[in-house]
Amino acid sequence: MTYSELKKKDVICVGDGKVLGRVGDLELEAQTGRILALIIACPGGLSSLFGGEKNPTTIPFSQIACIGDDVILVAPTRC
């Protein structure tokens, strides 16, 4: 899977079904290139009209429950 494919997926909380946003960036481990966390660009807000992000959220990769064809599911402890 490429970053381009990953950033097109909605990130959804398993606990309540709430859409948290979409992947805006990744946090990588410098030595290995391993993904440590997803940086979620929150949907909506006036700042999003001008290219800014409204309170981005960091989700540790260990909290990702599933990466599907259309969505990324996050464990409810992170929502």
Side-chain angles (χ1 to χ4, degrees):
M1 177 177 301
T2 66
Y3 172 67
S4 298
E5 294 169 329
L6 195 63
K7 70 180 189 175
K8 293 177 184 176
K9 300 177 188 295
D10 286 325
V11 180
I12 298 175
C13 178
V14 173
D16 61 6
K18 180 180 174 185
V19 176
L20 302 176
R22 290 198 172 178
V23 176
D25 207 348
L26 301 174
E27 183 179 327
L28 302 173
E29 186 174 88
Q31 290 80 9
T32 64
R34 189 178 78 122
I35 298 173
L36 297 176
L38 303 179
I39 312 287
I40 307 305
C42 298
L46 184 60
S47 64
S48 66
L49 293 174
F50 302 105
E53 295 176 357
K54 179 184 168 189
N55 301 323
T57 303
T58 301
I59 306 287
F61 200 75
S62 61
Q63 296 297 314
I64 303 298
C66 179
I67 299 177
D69 292 337
D70 300 318
V71 298
I72 299 170
L73 300 178
V74 177
T77 57
R78 295 296 303 169
C79 307

